[in-house]
Amino acid sequence: MIELLAPAGNMESVIAALRCGADAVYAGGKNFSARQNAANFDLMEMEQAIQLCHLYNARFYITVNTMLMDSQLDEFAADIKKYAALLPDAFIVQDPGAALIIKSIAPDIHIHASTQMTIHSVNGALLAKKLGFSRVVISREASSEIISDISAEGIDTEVFVHGALCMSISGQCYMSAMIGSRSANRGLCAQSCRLPFSASSDTNSNCLSLKDLSLINHIDKLRQAGVTSLKIEGRMKRPEYVAAAVTAYRNAIDGKTPDIESLKSVFSRNGFTDGYFTSKKCNMFGMRDKNDVISSASVIPELNQLYQKERKISSVDFDITINTGKPIILKATDSENFSFSVYGVIPEKAQNKAISDDIIKNQLSKLGNTIYSPGKIKITLEEGLTVPASAINCIRRNVIENLYRLREQACNKFVDNDFSLTYQGKNHIAGSAKPLIRIRLENIDQISLINTDIIDMIIFPMHYISKENNIPDNITSRIIIEPPRFITDERKIISDLKTMYERGFRHIMCNNLSYIKTGADIGFTLHGDFGLNIANSYSLKSLSALGLTDSTMSFELKLLQIRKIYSPVPVGIVAYGRLPLMLTSNCPIKNTIGCSRCNHNITDRTNRSFMVKCSYDYTEIFNSDTVYLADKPDEFDGIDFITLYFTDETEIQVKKIISDYINGSPVAPSGITRGLYFHGIK
């Protein structure tokens, strides 16, 4: 049966989710959650939430889905030990290093690959399975066809069906980090995309804000696709929102008519969209306006009533025995076969009216605000005895309380594995040789003025290499193919990569997990890119074991943090270029003014210009300022290689920049940024 998975930012939301029909709940602790601004749960609250879910025969998943730094790994491991002892049903994880630590501490607890891992293809899911994940949360941008393909591969799939849509593909947004040091990969997104951005002369435009997602009309198609779990977004939203969403989707799953109007009223941004699922991406943009807020306020009291009473989820059979001179015995067995017996008072001889079967049945059936409805009631009653109704009520309450405890504790006991962090490989500290230089180009003309012998590796987009037949022989062996960062047709990409391998190209840039498997299957040498969000030694340990021969570290790290990394393979940084702040499956310019009038940039409320580049089936939005570090060569100490990331630079500019990094530049040009390499993120 398909699972309905609800969000919870606090205990009231857990209650709302369960009483309205959720099969599972996901929530975060005070640390390592991708919704750090939600109330979240301390350890005691987490235990209560897990027990409540298990009482309802529901599952509880703990989100530890942020990118980790080396300095946090000890604290993370300690938290996992505490969480694992509470017996959650799974951990939701973004960081491969975090997954490795969890599997070492609690190998019997499932781990789910967060949507922050940007899994949206078959090979991405299979690679996650190889890493030990039992479920993948598929990117929201995946079409119904892609979802079906992944779901057919023997790994559980979880699909977002309702809630907020980020403009950027999850795990690939760096805008909040670069603008305000608040990293989306660390759970502190400032929602920059909801601020004014314009692709036209309208400075009040919000061209990066999408409507909320709703797939409530596609439940049957999702079920037919083999999806395991339907996920509602909203850990930062109020319990009434959770109640409305769970109720609507529970009804839709059960074949009843959902109340879509209440769903719109409680929270939406000018309505809903299903554009990614249906591959119809028009009319997906919207902002929350005054009418949305007014509508929400009007339905909150009514929605609050949805979860004020317990939901009946099980029946309970009673077997009561009342004999002279012996304590009453009441045995209760529920429909999940949990069973418990209690003893009551010793009955007395009736002086007037004796207790009857009807009275006993009436008292035992008073299950009121519990999860139970009455089932079969077997009564063994010796005639002529009396028992106060209050005594029957007392043993009924007693036995139900004990059934509750049995349900709450019905999990395998956690065995604390002896685990301590160990590091392998080189510690990237001061004293290393001068880093090798790599360059990333858009076309071959950009290096027409330089001697390529001084360059270690040259990165070209796959679409350019596939149609370019004039690649000089002396650089073919040093070219790294950069495949699409977002995959819409994996079969074609694999076919094209095989053709390139046959042409003599031997290196591939792994900008998401899928290319680690694809590249290895074909025979390419694998290079990790910034899109993998590698930020700690354990992630490097995990992915290098799968074949990465080197990796570019996350550009959300400080240089000091990178230098302290332990790695079995060389590590590098993007040392120059306009960094891609967003990877989007929808173009803000196309939506606003159309492709024919495209000027390849959008502006924010401060009139800064952000370059927009379309390629393949996606769009990239680049930072307004260019990272420049050529005047700080000492800062590269301990870095194995640097990448100069060229986009629209001319061949003259490329030559000048490469010279700056080889020879050093005494003065930084204007209009540059140091990125996050010195002040870092929160």
Side-chain angles (χ1 to χ4, degrees):
M1 187 175 72
I2 202 164
E3 174 186 87
L4 179 57
L5 175 58
N10 55 43
M11 198 64 187
E12 189 178 351
S13 290
V14 176
I15 293 170
L18 295 172
R19 289 184 175 179
C20 292
D23 300 303
V25 173
Y26 67 102
K30 298 296 184 181
N31 301 315
F32 311 116
S33 167
R35 290 292 182 269
Q36 286 295 99
N37 291 324
N40 293 319
F41 295 75
D42 62 26
L43 198 64
M44 183 178 295
E45 292 168 332
M46 191 80 78
E47 182 176 24
Q48 293 170 349
I50 292 172
Q51 289 179 348
L52 187 59
C53 283
H54 291 167
L55 170 65
Y56 275 83
N57 201 29
R59 293 164 290 281
F60 189 90
Y61 308 141
I62 298 179
T63 60
V64 281
N65 55 338
T66 59
M67 182 177 74
L68 302 178
M69 312 297 191
D70 267 8
S71 60
Q72 298 178 299
L73 296 184
D74 282 312
E75 182 185 6
F76 178 79
D79 276 8
I80 293 301
K81 286 187 177 184
K82 293 174 185 176
Y83 290 151
L86 303 180
L87 304 174
D89 297 278
F91 291 106
I92 302 175
V93 179
Q94 172 190 9
D95 193 302
L100 184 59
I101 291 171
I102 292 171
K103 295 303 288 184
S104 299
I105 293 173
D108 294 330
I109 296 180
H110 291 289
I111 53 172
H112 297 169
S114 168
T115 189
Q116 292 290 119
M117 294 191 84
T118 323
I119 295 173
H120 56 281
S121 68
V122 167
N123 275 356
L126 293 176
L127 197 283
K129 188 175 182 180
K130 192 170 183 178
L131 284 169
F133 291 92
S134 60
R135 178 186 292 188
V136 295
V137 186
I138 301 174
S139 295
R140 292 169 174 86
E141 296 75 17
S143 67
S144 61
E145 291 77 16
I146 291 173
I147 291 170
S148 295
D149 288 346
I150 296 173
S151 299
E153 290 298 326
I155 185 170
D156 286 356
T157 52
E158 186 172 297
V159 173
F160 276 98
V161 294
H162 195 85
L165 281 175
C166 301
M167 181 65 185
S168 179
I169 293 164
S170 295
Q172 303 302 310
C173 184
Y174 309 99
M175 182 173 282
S176 177
M178 292 300 295
I179 291 176
S181 296
R182 295 173 60 87
S183 169
N185 284 310
R186 302 267 291 161
L188 289 170
C189 179
Q191 296 194 339
S192 305
C193 56
R194 304 298 182 189
L195 297 173
F197 279 87
S198 177
S200 66
S201 57
D202 181 6
T203 56
N204 293 319
S205 170
N206 294 92
C207 71
L208 297 182
S209 181
L210 296 177
K211 293 180 179 180
D212 277 21
L213 166 72
S214 178
L215 299 184
I216 200 163
N217 295 321
H218 301 285
I219 300 298
D220 286 342
K221 195 166 186 178
L222 288 160
R223 187 184 279 118
Q224 291 164 12
V227 171
T228 308
S229 179
L230 307 182
K231 186 171 193 173
I232 297 168
E233 182 275 339
R235 282 192 283 145
M236 293 179 64
K237 293 190 175 74
R238 60 191 305 153
E240 290 83 358
Y241 165 89
V242 175
V246 171
T247 299
Y249 279 85
R250 181 79 272 158
N251 285 335
I253 291 169
D254 294 344
K256 302 174 184 177
T257 302
D259 185 352
I260 297 177
E261 287 307 311
S262 289
L263 205 52
K264 285 182 180 178
S265 295
V266 70
F267 197 95
S268 71
R269 293 179 171 89
N270 301 136
F272 298 124
T273 179
D274 59 4
Y276 290 136
F277 184 79
T278 60
S279 298
K280 297 175 182 177
K281 300 179 187 178
C282 58
N283 196 31
M284 287 188 65
F285 291 77
M287 277 291 291
R288 189 161 170 78
D289 59 23
K290 183 178 179 180
N291 291 331
D292 294 325
V293 176
I294 293 172
S295 295
S296 177
S298 68
V299 299
I300 291 300
E302 179 183 348
L303 296 175
N304 183 271
Q305 294 304 306
L306 290 173
Y307 60 94
Q308 294 309 307
K309 294 182 179 180
E310 289 279 16
R311 176 168 61 99
K312 302 297 183 182
I313 64 165
S314 180
S315 63
V316 59
D317 296 338
F318 292 111
D319 185 346
I320 189 168
T321 301
I322 303 176
N323 287 323
T324 301
K326 296 180 180 179
I328 299 170
I329 301 174
L330 176 63
K331 180 180 180 181
T333 305
D334 68 17
S335 28
E336 284 75 39
N337 212 33
F338 290 100
S339 184
F340 201 86
S341 297
V342 297
Y343 292 91
V345 300
I346 297 174
E348 298 179 355
K349 290 287 184 181
Q351 300 299 315
N352 297 305
K353 186 177 180 181
I355 194 167
S356 66
D357 286 7
D358 288 343
I359 293 173
I360 294 170
K361 285 181 180 179
N362 182 59
Q363 297 307 120
L364 292 179
S365 297
K366 291 180 178 180
L367 293 171
N369 199 27
T370 72
I371 63 171
Y372 291 121
S373 55
K376 298 175 182 178
I377 299 178
K378 179 182 177 183
I379 301 173
T380 302
L381 173 63
E382 188 176 318
E383 290 185 4
L385 298 177
T386 184
V387 178
S390 59
I392 302 294
N393 292 338
C394 181
I395 58 172
R396 184 200 67 234
R397 288 193 295 267
N398 190 348
V399 80
I400 294 299
E401 288 173 2
N402 280 283
L403 283 182
Y404 269 36
R405 291 192 187 96
L406 289 176
R407 295 176 71 98
E408 290 169 353
Q409 298 166 5
C411 291
N412 294 326
K413 184 175 176 58
F414 165 64
V415 177
D416 186 359
N417 275 6
D418 185 20
F419 173 80
S420 59
L421 293 170
T422 57
Y423 296 98
Q424 297 175 344
K426 174 185 175 184
N427 187 350
H428 290 255
I429 56 175
S432 299
K434 190 174 181 179
L436 300 172
I437 293 180
R438 296 179 178 178
I439 56 175
R440 188 268 183 197
L441 305 171
E442 286 288 331
N443 58 71
I444 198 71
D445 293 336
Q446 288 178 305
I447 53 168
S448 60
L449 300 180
I450 69 168
N451 175 13
T452 57
D453 291 341
I454 61 177
I455 303 300
D456 172 42
M457 304 293 288
I458 304 171
I459 305 161
F460 278 111
M462 188 179 85
H463 69 86
Y464 178 77
I465 293 295
S466 64
K467 63 184 179 182
E468 178 58 56
N469 294 316
N470 296 317
I471 303 295
D473 292 338
N474 66 320
I475 66 170
T476 298
S477 64
R478 291 184 285 132
I479 287 179
I480 301 176
I481 301 294
E482 179 189 78
R485 289 180 61 203
F486 189 79
I487 299 167
T488 55
D489 188 343
E490 188 169 44
R491 294 180 183 88
K492 185 178 186 308
I493 289 173
I494 292 172
S495 176
D496 290 346
L497 285 170
K498 287 179 178 178
T499 299
M500 292 179 191
Y501 190 85
E502 291 168 0
R503 287 174 57 189
F505 298 103
R506 291 292 181 268
H507 299 268
I508 187 172
M509 186 62 77
C510 300
N511 47 41
N512 64 55
L513 289 177
S514 65
Y515 295 122
I516 296 178
K517 175 170 171 44
T518 297
D521 288 348
I522 296 173
F524 281 105
T525 298
L526 311 179
H527 304 271
D529 201 10
F530 64 84
L532 295 175
N533 294 322
I534 297 177
N536 63 72
S537 299
Y538 261 63
S539 287
L540 280 166
K541 178 180 179 180
S542 176
L543 296 184
S544 64
L546 296 177
L548 285 190
T549 59
D550 59 50
S551 188
T552 299
M553 301 298 290
S554 167
F555 49 68
E556 294 191 64
L557 290 175
K558 292 192 289 188
L559 290 173
L560 180 61
Q561 292 171 314
I562 296 172
R563 284 196 289 268
K564 292 182 177 180
I565 289 283
Y566 282 86
S567 174
V569 296
V571 299
I573 64 168
V574 177
Y576 169 86
R578 294 188 188 180
L579 299 179
L581 299 189
M582 280 190 176
L583 174 68
T584 79
S585 186
N586 213 325
C587 180
I589 297 177
K590 179 180 179 180
N591 175 72
T592 306
I593 59 176
C595 296
S596 62
R597 298 171 58 196
C598 180
N599 57 5
H600 301 289
N601 74 84
I602 58 175
T603 55
D604 69 3
R605 65 193 191 283
T606 68
N607 208 34
R608 287 186 298 175
S609 180
F610 297 77
M611 184 176 73
V612 178
K613 183 167 72 72
C614 294
S615 56
Y616 306 100
D617 297 315
Y618 59 80
T619 298
E620 291 176 286
I621 301 172
F622 293 81
N623 197 13
S624 56
D625 297 322
T626 302
V627 168
Y628 186 91
L629 300 172
D631 59 322
K632 296 183 176 293
D634 291 346
E635 298 295 340
F636 301 145
D637 208 10
I639 307 297
D640 295 302
F641 62 90
I642 62 173
T643 297
L644 311 181
Y645 195 100
F646 295 111
T647 49
D648 61 347
E649 289 85 353
T650 66
E651 56 264 42
I652 293 174
Q653 291 171 321
V654 169
K655 180 180 179 181
K656 171 66 167 59
I657 295 300
I658 292 175
S659 175
D660 286 352
Y661 277 83
I662 289 176
N663 301 314
S665 174
V667 180
S670 60
I672 62 99
T673 178
R674 307 300 188 179
L676 296 163
Y677 289 131
F678 296 104
H679 62 80
I681 53 177
K682 296 178 183 178

